[in-house]
Amino acid sequence: FAFVGPNGAGKTTTIKTMMNILEPSAGTATVLGVDSRRLGPAQFHQIGYVSENQELPGWMTIRELLDYCAPFYPTWDAAFAEDLRRRLDLPLNRKINAFSRGMRMKAALLSSLAYRPKLLVLDEPFAGLDALVRDEFIQGILELAEEARWSVFISSHDIDEVERLADWIGVIN
């Protein structure tokens, strides 16, 4: 599902409400059958979340990041994480702060998928990526979603970015 609209329309605010980062001023949101205000560990173990402003510990390597994240998720799949790391072409022993923006987005995606979430939420993941990296990222998401049978909720201000990715599109203005 692609959630599109111009900059400032409220896409990120809506997603933060869905993820229980912000409390709604009115109305409700339901995620995985649960009121977003009541999301807890059981639901968060099933949600992968990648934001355009995702901050990763730059002093860590990919190996250290994966080792750090794994204990938080009972469904962490180390073999799947390694397969994803190879597909995304991320070096194990280079510090994250030495990565390009595209590589940092791939690292965030990797750490958000290794536990095989049922729902992947991507908030403007293509912002600032060059066309080649964007196309690789889209292709990788399509392949992984097909294999793993998870749902993807992606926000963007550019419908052209998501038209290949989405079966459904919602517009906010």
Side-chain angles (χ1 to χ4, degrees), residues 11-29:
K11 296 180 302 294
T12 296
T13 300
T14 301
I15 287 174
K16 286 182 177 182
T17 300
M18 290 170 47
M19 296 293 99
N20 197 19
I21 297 169
L22 294 175
E23 190 168 329
S25 55
T28 60

Side-chain angles (χ1 to χ4, degrees), residues 3-7 11 124 127 155-159 161:
F3 189 50
V4 297
N7 288 331
K11 296 180 302 294
E124 296 278 1
S155 76
S156 177
H157 64 273
D158 186 349
I159 198 165
E161 289 179 340

Side-chain angles (χ1 to χ4, degrees), residues 39-98:
L39 292 176
Q43 291 77 39
F44 287 124
H45 288 158
Q46 299 176 63
I47 301 170
Y49 177 55
V50 179
S51 155
E52 73 172 310
N53 298 318
Q54 190 104 12
E55 290 190 32
L56 297 173
W59 53 271
M60 283 186 176
T61 63
I62 289 293
R63 180 185 310 272
E64 292 166 336
L65 177 66
L66 297 178
D67 289 346
Y68 174 79
C69 292
F72 291 107
Y73 299 96
T75 57
W76 189 270
D77 184 336
F80 183 55
E82 177 55 22
D83 180 50
L84 287 175
R85 185 199 63 78
R86 279 195 306 269
R87 285 190 203 190
L88 295 170
D89 196 27
L90 290 168
L92 268 178
N93 295 311
R94 189 162 32 149
K95 300 284 185 193
I96 293 170
N97 63 6

